[in-house]
Amino acid sequence: MRHFIRSAAVAIAMAAASALSLSAAMAADISGAGATFPYPIYAKWADAYKKETGIGLNYQSIGSGGGIKQIKAKTVTFGASDAPLKGEELDSTGLAQFPMVMGGIVPVVNLEGIKPGELVLDGPTLADIFLGKITNWNDEAIKKLNPDVKLPDQAIAVVHRSDGSGTTFNFTYYLGDVSADWKEKVGVDKAVEWPVGIGAKGNEGVANNVAQTGGAIGYVEYAYAKQNKLTYTDLVNKDGKKVEPTAAAFSAAAANADWSSQPGYGVILANQPGAESWPMTAATWILVYKKPDDAAATGEALKFFAWSYAKGDDMAGQLDYVPMPDAVVKSVEEMWGKDIVDASGKPLYSGM
Amino acid sequence: MSAVSEAVTSSAMRTREATVRRFALTDTIFRAATRASAILVLVILGGVAISLIAGSWEALSKFGLSFLTTEAWNPVTENFGALAPIYGTVVTSAIAIIIAVPIGIGIAIFLTELCPRPLRRPIGIAVELLAGIPSIIYGIWGLFVFAPFLQTTVQPFIINLFHGIPGLSSLFAGPPYGIGLLTSSLILAIMVLPFITSITKDVFDTVPAVLKESAYGIGCTTWEVTRRVTIPYTRIGIMGGVMLGLGRALGETMAVTFVIGNAHRISASLFAPGTTISATIANEFTEADGDLYTSSLVSLGLILFIITFLILAIARYMLMRIDSRTGA
Amino acid sequence: MSTAASLHQSRKRKNAVMMALCVIAAGIGLAWLALILGALLYKGLTGVSLSVFTEMTPPPGDAGGLLNAIYGSIVMTIIGVVVGTPIGVLAGTYMAEYGRFSRLTTVVRFINDILLSAPSIIVGLFVYELMVRPMGHFSAIAGAVSLSILVIPVVVRTTEDMLNLVPNALREAGTAIGAPRWVVIRSVAYRAALSGIVTGILLAIARISGETAPLLFTALNNQFWSSNLNAPMASLPVTIFQFALSPYEEWQQLAWTGALIITLTVLGLSIIARSLTGRREDR
C-alpha cells in the first residue's frame, strides 16, 4: 500500500507537470463542433482532406445547440448548426454563416403490404396525423390521396424524436408552414410538446420503432430510411405535384430557393416552390467569426470548406447527402473574400 | 562502567526519540493528507453546486416555485416545469431498487452460503461484469433487443392479464410501445444489481466466522444465520451498497435516455413513456440554444441534487432509528 | 415434543424456500448477464480483427479501426484513476480512521453520496466551466479530470465502508505493540480491507470506462490520432455513441466491437484484481 500511495503521488506530480508543460505548447489543431446531421459527411471530407493535404480537421457532433454555444465561447474554430441563426444574432456576435451541405427528411410507415413509395401524403394530412386529428389509416383524407391503395382499418401509431434535433426542427418547420393549426398549437423547434405518439432516441431509434410497430409513422433522415430499407412515402409538394424522395428532388428544392432572401443564407428549405422540389429538404450551416482571434486556424478551415465544395460532391452523394448548388457556392466564396478578415483587415480567403 | 552504559542508553534513547518524532511527523502528515482529501470532496461538490446554481439562476428566478409543480415542458413557448421528470426519476429509481435489492442480496447469500466453492469466483466476477458493461450498451441493448421483446410478448400478456382489475389495469394500461417507465426501471435494476451484489457479498465476507459458527452451533438454519446474524452485522455495509445503487439509478443517463421515450407527461400506466431528470438533460441539452431553455435544463440538475439530498437524509434517519432500536 | 418437531420442520421448510429463492436470484442475475453478453458477443465479435487495434476510426463507408479511441480511453482512464483513487482512498481513510466520529466525516459522507448520484453530464458541465472555457479549447486533461471526479465518490464510499468493517481488535493489537497510527492503518487496516478497496476501484473504473457525457463536453473526441493531452482526444464511449446511432453499417459494427472491447477489458481487470487479492478470500 505504501508503494501504491508513493507511486500514485509520483504519477500525480508527473501528470500535473506534463499538463503544465503542454499548456505552454501550441494546441490549435482545427476543430469544429455542432450539428449531428452532417457529422458523417464532415468526417468523410476531413479524412480525404487529410490524406491529400496532411492537415487534420476534427469535427465532432455535439448537437446544433452545442455548436452555437461553443463557437460563442470560442472553444472551437467553427460551429455547425442545423437551424440557421437570425440576422440580428449574427450581427451582434460577429459571426458569418453559410450553408455547407443538404439532405432530405422522409416520412416512413409500417403498413402491411405497402411498399416504399406506394403511399402518398400531403403536408396538411401529415400535420393532422402528428396533431392526432387523423387517427386511423383508413381516414378519408388519406384515402382521397391514395385512391388505388388498399388502406387497412388500423390505428396510427405516431413515432417522433425524443431528443432535441435539427431533423425535428426542419420537420416541424414544414408542418408549421403547411398547417396553421400546427404552428399555433405546437410550433417549430428542435424539441416540441408533441400532442400524440411516442418518442424514440435518434434517427436510428425512430427507424427501429417504426419497423417494430404495426401502423406506425415516423420521420427520419433519408439515409436512415434507405439503409434500414424502411417504407418511405411520397409527398405532394407546394406546386401540388407528387414527388419521390430522391437526391434530384432535394437538389431541386435548393435550386429553387431564394438564398439571398435571408441574412447568412438562413433559408429553410422546407416547402420550396418548383414542380420537382421535395418539400422536406434541409440544409446545415457553418458558423465562423468574421474577425477571428485565431486567424490562421479560420483560414485553414475556409480552405477546407472550399476544397469540400469543389471536390466533395461525389462523397456527399455516396452518403446520401446533397451538395450545394454551384451558384450558392460562388456567392458564399465571394462573401468569404469580403467579410472574413484577420486582425489587420486582410481577407483570409483568396480563392483556391 | 556506569558511564558507558549511560552513554549507550542515552544514545539509544536519542535514536528512539528521533524515531518516535519521525513517526509522529509522518503520522501528522498522513493525517493532514487524509483530511485534505476529505475536504477536497466537499470542495468538488461545492464547485459543482455553485456552477449548477449559477446556471439555473435564470430559469428559477423566472419560474420560481411553479417550476416544481408545472407538468408542461414546451421549448417553443419557453414554458418549462420539472414535475414530469421528477416523477419519472423517483418512480424508475424506486422500482429499480425494489427489484434489485432482494435479487442482489439473494445472489450475495447464494455466493457466500450456498455456491459450490469452485463456482464462487466465476459467478461473482460474472455478476460484477454487469457493472462493467458501458451504460450506452444497456441503452442500445434496451432499445434494439429488450424493448421489442417487451413490446411483442411481455406487455400484451400483462395488459390482458390485468385487464379489468381495478388499480392494476390502469397501472399496466396499453398500448404496448416497448419503451417507457417500466422498461427503464428494469434496465436500471439490471444496472444497479452488480453494485448491490458485489458490495453485499464483500461485507458478508467480513462477518467473523466465530459469530456464524456459534449461531450454527445452537442449531440455527442457514437462513436464520443469514437473517439474524449476517444481515444485522453488515446492514450498514448493505445500506452503502444500496445507496451506491440508488445513486447510480437516480443519475443514470445514457441507458435511460434510450428507452424512456422522453415524454413530459405523468401517466398512471407504467407502460407509458415518461422521462427522468438526467434523460431530459441528455436528450435536450446538446440541442438547446435559448438561454432560458439551457437554464431550465441546468435547474433540473439542481433539483436532482436536492432530491438525492432528501432521499439520503431520509435513509440516514431511518438507519439511525434502526440503530437506536437495536441498541447497536 | 410434536410442536418442537413441527417447529423444526417449518424452520427447515422456511430455510429451504429462502435458499431456493437465493438460487433463483443468482439464476436471474446470470441470465441477464448472459442475455446482454450474448447480444454483445453476437454483434461485436464479427467485427473483431487486427485492424480494429491498428487503424484509426474511419469515415463512413471505409474500413478502419478504433486505435485512436482505444488509446485515448486508456490514457484518460489511467489519469482519471491515478488522480482520483489516492484522493478517494485518503478521504475514505480519514472518515473511517482519524475522523470517524468527527463532524467533517458526517458532512463528507453525505456530500459524497450526493456526488455519487450526480448525473455525469453535470460533472462534465462543471469541468467544462472549470477548464475548457478558461483554456479556450477542449482537451484530454479536462476529460481525465471529469473522469477522476466520477472516480472519487465511488472509491471514498467503498474505502470507508471496508475500513469500518475491519475489527477494532486488529487496530488495538497494532497499537499495543507500539505502532503509530499511520502504520496501523497502512499495515493492518488497509491490508484487512484491501479486497474491498480494490472492488471499489474496479467499480469506479467500470463506471468511467463507459461514460460518454462527461467526455463529450471536455475531451470532445477526435477523428484522428492525437497523443496531445492539451488537445481534443478520441475515446471509445463517445465514438461508440456517435457510431451506434449512425445509419452506416461499418460504423455500427465498430460501435458494437468497441463496446465488446470495453466490457472484456473490465472483465479482464476484474479477474486480474481478484486473483491478486483473492487468495485470502478462499481461505
Side-chain angles (χ1 to χ4, degrees), chain A residues 1-2 4 8 11-12 18-19 22-23 26-27 39-40 43-44 46-47 50 56-58 60-62 70 73-76 201 204 223-224 227 319 321, chain C residues 59-60 62 82 85-86 128 132-133 136-138 141 186 190 194 216 220-224 228-232 241-248 251-252:
Chain A
M1 198 36 87
R2 178 196 225 157
F4 170 67
I12 295 172
S18 63
L22 280 168
S23 59
M26 190 48 190
Y39 169 60
K44 181 105 179 161
D47 188 69
K50 184 164 192 184
L57 181 137
N58 179 34
Q60 292 303 323
S61 60
I62 61 170
Q70 296 315 323
K74 302 192 179 177
T75 55
V76 288
K201 169 97 176 159
E204 194 68 16
Y224 291 85
Q227 298 281 340
L319 299 183
Y321 291 85
Chain C
D62 288 358
V82 163
T85 304
Y128 173 82
V132 176
R133 265 184 101 120
H137 54 84
F138 295 92
I141 278 290
R186 198 197 66 197
Y190 279 163
L194 186 62
L216 196 58
L220 199 62
N221 191 11
N222 203 326
Q223 187 182 350
F224 305 110
N228 185 353
L229 289 181
N230 201 30
F241 181 59
Q242 286 176 340
F243 284 10
L245 289 178
S246 78
Y248 310 105
W251 275 12
Q252 288 179 359

Coordinates of all heavy atoms in Angstrom, one line a residue, chain A residues 1-2 4 8 11-12 18-19 22-23 26-27 39-40 43-44 46-47 50 56-58 60-62 70 73-76 201 204 223-224 227 319 321, chain C residues 59-60 62 82 85-86 128 132-133 136-138 141 186 190 194 216 220-224 228-232 241-248 251-252:
Chain A
M1 N 0.8 -1.2 0.0 CA 0.0 0.0 0.0 C 0.9 1.2 0.0 O 0.6 2.2 -0.6 CB -0.9 0.0 1.2 CG -2.1 0.9 1.1 SD -2.9 1.1 -0.5 CE -4.0 -0.3 -0.5
R2 N 2.0 1.2 0.7 CA 2.9 2.3 0.7 C 3.4 2.6 -0.7 O 3.4 3.7 -1.1 CB 4.1 2.0 1.7 CG 5.1 3.1 1.7 CD 6.4 2.5 2.3 NE 6.9 3.4 3.3 CZ 7.8 3.1 4.2 NH1 8.1 1.8 4.3 NH2 8.3 3.9 5.1
F4 N 2.0 1.8 -3.3 CA 0.9 2.3 -4.1 C 0.7 3.8 -4.0 O 0.6 4.5 -4.9 CB -0.4 1.5 -3.7 CG -1.6 2.1 -4.3 CD1 -1.8 2.0 -5.6 CD2 -2.5 2.7 -3.5 CE1 -3.0 2.5 -6.2 CE2 -3.7 3.2 -4.0 CZ -3.9 3.1 -5.4
A8 N 1.4 6.5 -6.7 CA 0.3 7.4 -7.1 C 0.7 8.9 -7.0 O 0.4 9.7 -7.9 CB -0.9 7.1 -6.2
A11 N 2.8 9.8 -9.8 CA 2.1 9.9 -11.1 C 1.3 11.2 -11.1 O 1.2 11.8 -12.2 CB 1.1 8.7 -11.1
I12 N 0.7 11.6 -10.0 CA 0.0 12.9 -10.0 C 1.0 14.0 -10.3 O 0.6 14.9 -11.2 CB -0.6 13.1 -8.6 CG1 -1.7 12.1 -8.3 CG2 -1.2 14.5 -8.5 CD1 -2.2 12.2 -6.9
S18 N 3.2 17.4 -16.8 CA 3.0 17.3 -18.2 C 1.9 18.2 -18.7 O 1.9 18.8 -19.7 CB 2.7 15.9 -18.6 OG 1.5 15.4 -18.0
A19 N 0.9 18.4 -17.8 CA -0.2 19.3 -18.2 C 0.3 20.7 -18.3 O 0.0 21.5 -19.2 CB -1.3 19.2 -17.1
L22 N 2.5 21.2 -21.3 CA 1.7 21.1 -22.6 C 1.0 22.3 -22.8 O 0.8 22.8 -24.0 CB 0.8 19.9 -22.5 CG 1.5 18.6 -22.8 CD1 0.6 17.4 -22.5 CD2 1.9 18.5 -24.3
S23 N 0.5 23.0 -21.7 CA -0.4 24.1 -22.0 C 0.5 25.3 -22.6 O 0.0 26.2 -23.2 CB -1.1 24.6 -20.7 OG -0.1 24.9 -19.7
M26 N 1.8 24.9 -28.3 CA 0.7 25.3 -29.1 C -0.3 24.2 -29.2 O 0.0 23.0 -29.3 CB 1.4 25.5 -30.5 CG 0.5 26.2 -31.5 SD -0.4 27.6 -30.9 CE -1.5 27.8 -32.3
A27 N -1.6 24.5 -29.1 CA -2.6 23.5 -29.0 C -3.4 23.4 -30.3 O -4.1 22.4 -30.5 CB -3.5 23.7 -27.8
Y39 N -22.5 15.2 -39.5 CA -21.3 14.6 -38.9 C -20.6 13.5 -39.9 O -19.4 13.6 -40.1 CB -21.6 14.0 -37.6 CG -20.5 13.2 -37.0 CD1 -19.2 13.7 -36.7 CD2 -20.7 11.8 -36.6 CE1 -18.2 12.9 -36.2 CE2 -19.7 11.1 -36.1 CZ -18.4 11.6 -35.9 OH -17.5 10.8 -35.3
P40 N -21.4 12.6 -40.4 CA -20.7 11.6 -41.3 C -20.0 12.2 -42.5 O -18.9 11.8 -42.8 CB -21.8 10.7 -41.7 CG -22.9 10.8 -40.6 CD -22.8 12.2 -40.2
A43 N -16.9 14.1 -41.5 CA -15.8 13.1 -41.1 C -15.2 12.6 -42.4 O -14.0 12.4 -42.5 CB -16.4 12.0 -40.3
K44 N -16.0 12.3 -43.4 CA -15.5 11.7 -44.7 C -14.6 12.7 -45.4 O -13.6 12.4 -45.9 CB -16.7 11.4 -45.5 CG -16.4 10.8 -46.9 CD -16.7 9.3 -46.9 CE -16.3 8.7 -48.2 NZ -16.2 7.3 -48.1
A46 N -13.1 15.3 -44.1 CA -11.9 15.6 -43.3 C -10.9 14.5 -43.5 O -9.7 14.8 -43.6 CB -12.2 15.7 -41.8
D47 N -11.3 13.2 -43.6 CA -10.4 12.1 -43.8 C -9.7 12.3 -45.2 O -8.5 12.1 -45.3 CB -11.2 10.8 -43.7 CG -10.3 9.6 -43.7 OD1 -9.5 9.4 -42.8 OD2 -10.3 8.9 -44.7
K50 N -7.3 15.2 -45.2 CA -6.1 14.9 -44.5 C -5.1 14.1 -45.4 O -3.9 14.3 -45.4 CB -6.3 14.2 -43.2 CG -5.0 14.0 -42.4 CD -5.2 13.7 -41.0 CE -3.9 13.8 -40.2 NZ -4.0 13.4 -38.9
G56 N -5.2 18.0 -40.5 CA -6.3 17.3 -39.9 C -7.3 18.3 -39.4 O -7.0 19.3 -38.8
L57 N -8.6 18.1 -39.7 CA -9.6 18.9 -39.2 C -10.6 18.0 -38.4 O -11.2 17.1 -39.0 CB -10.3 19.6 -40.4 CG -11.4 20.6 -40.0 CD1 -11.3 21.8 -40.8 CD2 -12.8 19.9 -40.3
N58 N -10.8 18.3 -37.2 CA -11.5 17.4 -36.3 C -12.9 18.0 -36.1 O -13.1 19.0 -35.4 CB -10.8 17.2 -35.0 CG -11.5 16.3 -34.0 OD1 -12.2 15.4 -34.4 ND2 -11.4 16.6 -32.7
Q60 N -16.7 17.2 -34.5 CA -17.4 16.3 -33.6 C -18.9 16.8 -33.5 O -19.2 18.0 -33.4 CB -16.7 16.3 -32.2 CG -15.4 15.7 -32.2 CD -15.4 14.2 -32.8 OE1 -16.3 13.5 -32.6 NE2 -14.4 13.9 -33.5
S61 N -19.7 15.8 -33.4 CA -21.2 16.1 -33.3 C -21.6 16.2 -31.9 O -21.6 15.2 -31.2 CB -22.0 15.0 -34.0 OG -21.8 13.8 -33.5
I62 N -21.8 17.4 -31.4 CA -22.3 17.6 -30.0 C -23.7 18.2 -30.1 O -24.1 18.7 -29.0 CB -21.3 18.4 -29.2 CG1 -21.1 19.8 -29.8 CG2 -20.0 17.7 -29.1 CD1 -20.4 20.8 -28.9
Q70 N -20.5 26.6 -28.4 CA -19.1 26.5 -28.5 C -18.4 27.6 -29.3 O -17.4 28.1 -28.9 CB -18.6 25.1 -29.0 CG -19.0 24.0 -28.1 CD -18.8 24.2 -26.7 OE1 -17.8 24.8 -26.3 NE2 -19.7 23.7 -25.8
A73 N -18.4 30.6 -27.3 CA -17.4 30.5 -26.2 C -16.0 30.5 -26.8 O -15.0 30.5 -26.0 CB -17.7 29.3 -25.3
K74 N -15.9 30.5 -28.1 CA -14.6 30.4 -28.8 C -13.7 29.2 -28.4 O -12.5 29.3 -28.3 CB -13.8 31.7 -28.6 CG -14.6 32.9 -29.0 CD -13.8 34.2 -29.1 CE -14.6 35.3 -29.6 NZ -13.9 36.6 -29.6
T75 N -14.4 28.1 -28.1 CA -13.6 26.9 -27.8 C -13.3 26.1 -29.1 O -12.6 25.1 -29.0 CB -14.3 26.0 -26.8 OG1 -15.6 25.7 -27.3 CG2 -14.4 26.7 -25.4
V76 N -13.9 26.5 -30.2 CA -13.7 25.8 -31.4 C -13.5 26.8 -32.6 O -13.8 28.0 -32.4 CB -14.9 24.9 -31.8 CG1 -15.1 23.7 -31.0 CG2 -16.2 25.7 -31.8
K201 N -35.2 7.6 -29.4 CA -33.9 8.3 -29.4 C -33.2 8.2 -30.8 O -32.9 7.1 -31.3 CB -33.1 7.7 -28.4 CG -31.6 8.1 -28.4 CD -31.4 9.2 -27.4 CE -29.9 9.6 -27.3 NZ -29.8 11.0 -26.8
E204 N -32.0 6.6 -35.7 CA -32.0 5.1 -35.6 C -33.1 4.6 -34.7 O -33.7 3.5 -35.0 CB -30.6 4.7 -35.1 CG -30.2 3.3 -35.4 CD -30.0 2.9 -36.8 OE1 -29.9 3.8 -37.7 OE2 -30.1 1.7 -37.1
A223 N -31.0 9.0 -45.4 CA -30.0 7.9 -45.3 C -30.5 6.8 -44.4 O -30.3 5.6 -44.7 CB -28.7 8.4 -44.8
Y224 N -31.2 7.1 -43.3 CA -31.7 6.1 -42.4 C -32.8 5.3 -43.0 O -32.9 4.0 -42.9 CB -32.2 6.7 -41.1 CG -31.0 7.3 -40.3 CD1 -30.6 8.6 -40.5 CD2 -30.4 6.5 -39.3 CE1 -29.6 9.1 -39.8 CE2 -29.4 7.0 -38.5 CZ -29.0 8.3 -38.8 OH -27.9 8.8 -38.1
Q227 N -30.9 3.0 -45.6 CA -30.1 2.0 -45.1 C -30.9 0.9 -44.3 O -30.6 -0.3 -44.4 CB -29.1 2.6 -44.1 CG -28.1 3.5 -44.7 CD -27.0 2.8 -45.4 OE1 -26.7 1.6 -45.2 NE2 -26.3 3.5 -46.4
L319 N -23.0 9.2 -49.5 CA -23.6 9.1 -48.2 C -25.0 9.6 -48.1 O -25.5 9.9 -47.1 CB -22.7 9.8 -47.2 CG -21.3 9.2 -47.0 CD1 -20.5 10.0 -45.9 CD2 -21.3 7.8 -46.7
Y321 N -26.1 12.5 -49.1 CA -26.2 14.0 -48.9 C -26.3 14.6 -50.2 O -26.0 14.0 -51.2 CB -25.0 14.6 -48.1 CG -25.0 14.1 -46.7 CD1 -24.3 12.9 -46.3 CD2 -25.5 14.9 -45.7 CE1 -24.3 12.6 -45.0 CE2 -25.4 14.5 -44.3 CZ -24.8 13.3 -44.0 OH -24.7 13.0 -42.7
Chain C
P59 N -13.9 7.2 -41.8 CA -15.1 7.9 -42.2 C -16.1 6.8 -42.7 O -15.8 5.7 -42.9 CB -14.7 8.7 -43.4 CG -13.5 8.0 -44.0 CD -12.8 7.3 -42.8
P60 N -17.4 7.2 -42.8 CA -18.4 6.2 -43.2 C -18.1 5.6 -44.6 O -17.6 6.3 -45.4 CB -19.7 6.9 -43.2 CG -19.4 8.4 -43.2 CD -18.0 8.5 -42.5
D62 N -15.7 3.4 -45.2 CA -14.4 2.9 -45.3 C -14.2 1.9 -44.2 O -14.9 1.9 -43.2 CB -13.4 4.0 -45.2 CG -13.3 4.8 -46.5 OD1 -14.1 4.5 -47.4 OD2 -12.5 5.8 -46.5
V82 N -5.7 7.4 -11.6 CA -4.5 7.7 -10.8 C -4.7 9.0 -10.0 O -4.2 9.1 -8.9 CB -3.3 7.9 -11.8 CG1 -2.1 8.6 -11.1 CG2 -2.8 6.5 -12.3
T85 N -8.1 7.9 -7.4 CA -8.1 6.9 -6.4 C -7.4 7.3 -5.1 O -7.9 7.1 -4.1 CB -7.4 5.7 -7.0 OG1 -8.1 5.3 -8.2 CG2 -7.4 4.5 -6.0
P86 N -6.1 7.9 -5.2 CA -5.5 8.3 -3.9 C -6.4 9.3 -3.1 O -6.5 9.1 -1.9 CB -4.2 9.0 -4.4 CG -4.0 8.7 -5.8 CD -5.3 8.3 -6.4
Y128 N -16.2 21.6 -17.8 CA -16.2 22.5 -18.9 C -16.0 23.9 -18.5 O -15.2 24.6 -19.0 CB -17.6 22.3 -19.7 CG -17.7 23.3 -20.8 CD1 -17.1 23.1 -22.0 CD2 -18.5 24.5 -20.6 CE1 -17.3 24.0 -23.1 CE2 -18.6 25.4 -21.7 CZ -18.0 25.1 -22.9 OH -18.2 26.0 -23.9
V132 N -12.3 23.9 -19.7 CA -12.4 24.1 -21.1 C -12.5 25.6 -21.5 O -11.8 26.1 -22.3 CB -13.5 23.3 -21.7 CG1 -13.6 23.5 -23.2 CG2 -13.3 21.8 -21.5
R133 N -13.4 26.3 -20.8 CA -13.6 27.7 -21.2 C -12.4 28.5 -20.9 O -12.0 29.3 -21.7 CB -14.9 28.2 -20.4 CG -16.1 28.1 -21.3 CD -17.3 28.7 -20.6 NE -17.5 30.1 -21.1 CZ -18.6 30.4 -21.7 NH1 -19.6 29.6 -21.8 NH2 -18.8 31.6 -22.1
G136 N -9.8 27.7 -23.4 CA -10.2 28.1 -24.7 C -10.3 27.0 -25.7 O -10.5 27.2 -26.9
H137 N -10.1 25.8 -25.3 CA -10.3 24.7 -26.2 C -10.5 23.4 -25.4 O -10.2 23.3 -24.2 CB -9.0 24.5 -27.1 CG -7.8 24.4 -26.3 ND1 -7.3 23.2 -25.8 CD2 -6.9 25.3 -26.0 CE1 -6.2 23.4 -25.2 NE2 -5.9 24.7 -25.2
F138 N -11.0 22.4 -26.1 CA -11.2 21.1 -25.4 C -9.9 20.4 -25.3 O -9.0 20.6 -26.0 CB -12.1 20.2 -26.3 CG -13.5 20.8 -26.5 CD1 -13.9 21.6 -27.5 CD2 -14.5 20.5 -25.5 CE1 -15.1 22.2 -27.6 CE2 -15.8 21.0 -25.6 CZ -16.1 21.8 -26.7
I141 N -6.9 16.4 -20.9 CA -6.7 16.7 -19.5 C -8.1 17.0 -18.9 O -8.4 16.4 -17.8 CB -5.7 17.8 -19.3 CG1 -4.3 17.3 -19.4 CG2 -5.9 18.5 -17.9 CD1 -3.9 16.4 -18.2
R186 N -1.8 1.5 7.7 CA -1.2 1.0 6.4 C -1.1 -0.5 6.5 O -1.5 -1.2 5.6 CB 0.1 1.7 6.2 CG 0.7 1.5 4.9 CD 2.2 1.8 4.9 NE 2.9 0.8 5.6 CZ 4.1 1.0 6.1 NH1 4.8 2.1 5.9 NH2 4.7 0.0 6.8
Y190 N -5.5 -1.3 6.0 CA -5.5 -1.4 4.6 C -5.5 -2.9 4.1 O -6.2 -3.3 3.2 CB -4.4 -0.6 3.9 CG -4.6 0.8 3.8 CD1 -3.6 1.7 3.6 CD2 -5.9 1.4 3.8 CE1 -3.8 3.1 3.4 CE2 -6.1 2.7 3.7 CZ -5.0 3.6 3.5 OH -5.2 4.9 3.4
L194 N -8.2 -4.7 1.9 CA -7.7 -4.5 0.6 C -8.7 -5.0 -0.5 O -9.0 -4.3 -1.5 CB -6.4 -5.2 0.4 CG -5.7 -5.0 -0.9 CD1 -5.3 -3.6 -1.1 CD2 -4.4 -5.9 -1.0
L216 N -17.8 14.2 -23.7 CA -18.2 14.9 -24.8 C -18.0 16.4 -24.6 O -17.6 17.1 -25.6 CB -19.7 14.7 -25.0 CG -20.3 15.0 -26.4 CD1 -19.6 14.3 -27.5 CD2 -21.8 14.7 -26.4
L220 N -14.0 16.3 -25.8 CA -14.6 16.2 -27.2 C -14.5 14.8 -27.7 O -15.0 13.9 -27.2 CB -14.1 17.3 -28.1 CG -14.9 17.7 -29.3 CD1 -16.2 18.3 -28.8 CD2 -14.2 18.7 -30.1
N221 N -13.7 14.7 -28.8 CA -13.4 13.4 -29.4 C -12.5 13.8 -30.5 O -12.3 15.0 -30.8 CB -14.7 12.8 -29.9 CG -14.5 11.3 -30.4 OD1 -13.5 10.7 -30.1 ND2 -15.5 10.8 -31.1
N222 N -11.9 12.8 -31.2 CA -11.0 13.1 -32.3 C -11.1 12.1 -33.3 O -11.0 10.9 -33.0 CB -9.6 13.3 -31.8 CG -8.8 14.2 -32.7 OD1 -9.0 14.2 -33.9 ND2 -7.9 15.0 -32.1
Q223 N -11.3 12.5 -34.5 CA -11.3 11.6 -35.6 C -10.0 11.0 -35.9 O -9.9 9.9 -36.4 CB -11.9 12.3 -36.8 CG -12.2 11.5 -38.0 CD -12.6 12.4 -39.2 OE1 -12.9 13.6 -39.0 NE2 -12.7 11.8 -40.4
F224 N -8.9 11.7 -35.6 CA -7.6 11.3 -35.9 C -6.8 10.9 -34.7 O -7.3 11.1 -33.6 CB -6.9 12.5 -36.7 CG -7.6 12.9 -37.8 CD1 -8.2 14.2 -37.8 CD2 -7.8 12.2 -39.0 CE1 -9.0 14.6 -38.9 CE2 -8.5 12.6 -40.1 CZ -9.1 13.8 -40.1
N228 N -1.7 14.4 -27.8 CA -1.5 15.6 -27.1 C -2.6 15.8 -26.0 O -3.8 15.8 -26.3 CB -1.6 16.8 -28.1 CG -1.4 18.1 -27.5 OD1 -1.2 18.2 -26.3 ND2 -1.3 19.2 -28.3
L229 N -2.1 15.8 -24.8 CA -3.1 15.9 -23.7 C -3.8 17.2 -23.6 O -4.8 17.4 -22.9 CB -2.3 15.7 -22.3 CG -1.8 14.3 -22.1 CD1 -1.2 14.2 -20.7 CD2 -3.0 13.3 -22.1
N230 N -3.3 18.2 -24.4 CA -3.9 19.5 -24.4 C -4.8 19.8 -25.6 O -5.1 20.9 -25.9 CB -2.8 20.5 -24.3 CG -3.3 21.9 -23.7 OD1 -4.2 21.9 -22.9 ND2 -2.7 22.9 -24.2
A231 N -5.1 18.7 -26.3 CA -6.0 18.9 -27.5 C -7.1 17.8 -27.4 O -7.0 16.9 -26.6 CB -5.1 18.6 -28.7
P232 N -8.2 18.0 -28.2 CA -9.2 17.0 -28.2 C -8.7 15.6 -28.4 O -7.8 15.4 -29.2 CB -10.1 17.4 -29.4 CG -9.9 18.9 -29.5 CD -8.4 19.1 -29.1
F241 N -21.0 6.0 -29.1 CA -22.2 6.8 -29.1 C -22.5 7.3 -30.5 O -23.6 7.3 -31.0 CB -22.1 7.9 -28.1 CG -23.3 8.7 -28.0 CD1 -24.5 8.2 -27.6 CD2 -23.3 10.1 -28.2 CE1 -25.7 9.0 -27.5 CE2 -24.4 10.9 -28.1 CZ -25.6 10.3 -27.7
Q242 N -21.4 7.9 -31.1 CA -21.7 8.5 -32.4 C -21.9 7.5 -33.5 O -22.7 7.7 -34.4 CB -20.5 9.4 -32.8 CG -20.5 10.7 -31.9 CD -19.2 11.6 -32.2 OE1 -18.2 11.1 -32.7 NE2 -19.3 12.8 -31.8
F243 N -21.2 6.4 -33.4 CA -21.3 5.4 -34.5 C -22.5 4.5 -34.3 O -23.1 4.1 -35.3 CB -20.0 4.5 -34.4 CG -18.8 5.1 -35.0 CD1 -18.8 6.5 -35.3 CD2 -17.7 4.4 -35.3 CE1 -17.7 7.1 -35.9 CE2 -16.5 5.0 -35.8 CZ -16.5 6.3 -36.1
A244 N -23.0 4.3 -33.1 CA -24.1 3.3 -32.9 C -25.4 3.8 -33.5 O -26.2 3.1 -34.0 CB -24.3 3.0 -31.4
L245 N -25.5 5.1 -33.5 CA -26.8 5.7 -33.9 C -26.7 6.2 -35.4 O -27.5 7.0 -35.8 CB -27.3 6.8 -33.0 CG -27.8 6.2 -31.6 CD1 -28.3 7.3 -30.7 CD2 -29.0 5.3 -31.9
S246 N -25.6 5.9 -36.1 CA -25.5 6.3 -37.5 C -26.2 5.3 -38.4 O -26.4 4.2 -38.0 CB -24.0 6.4 -37.8 OG -23.5 5.1 -38.1
P247 N -26.4 5.7 -39.6 CA -27.1 4.7 -40.5 C -26.1 3.8 -41.2 O -26.5 2.9 -41.9 CB -27.8 5.6 -41.5 CG -26.9 6.9 -41.6 CD -26.4 7.0 -40.2
Y248 N -24.8 4.0 -41.0 CA -23.9 3.2 -41.8 C -23.4 1.9 -41.1 O -23.0 2.0 -39.9 CB -22.6 4.1 -42.1 CG -23.1 5.4 -42.7 CD1 -23.0 6.5 -42.0 CD2 -23.6 5.4 -44.0 CE1 -23.5 7.7 -42.5 CE2 -24.1 6.6 -44.5 CZ -24.0 7.8 -43.8 OH -24.5 9.0 -44.3
W251 N -19.9 1.7 -39.4 CA -19.8 2.4 -38.1 C -20.6 1.6 -37.0 O -20.1 1.5 -35.9 CB -20.4 3.8 -38.2 CG -19.4 4.8 -38.8 CD1 -18.2 4.5 -39.3 CD2 -19.5 6.2 -38.8 NE1 -17.6 5.7 -39.7 CE2 -18.4 6.7 -39.4 CE3 -20.5 7.1 -38.4 CZ2 -18.2 8.1 -39.5 CZ3 -20.3 8.5 -38.6 CH2 -19.1 9.0 -39.1
Q252 N -21.7 1.1 -37.3 CA -22.5 0.4 -36.3 C -21.7 -0.9 -35.8 O -21.7 -1.2 -34.6 CB -23.8 -0.1 -36.9 CG -24.8 1.1 -37.0 CD -26.1 0.7 -37.6 OE1 -26.3 -0.5 -37.9 NE2 -27.0 1.6 -37.8

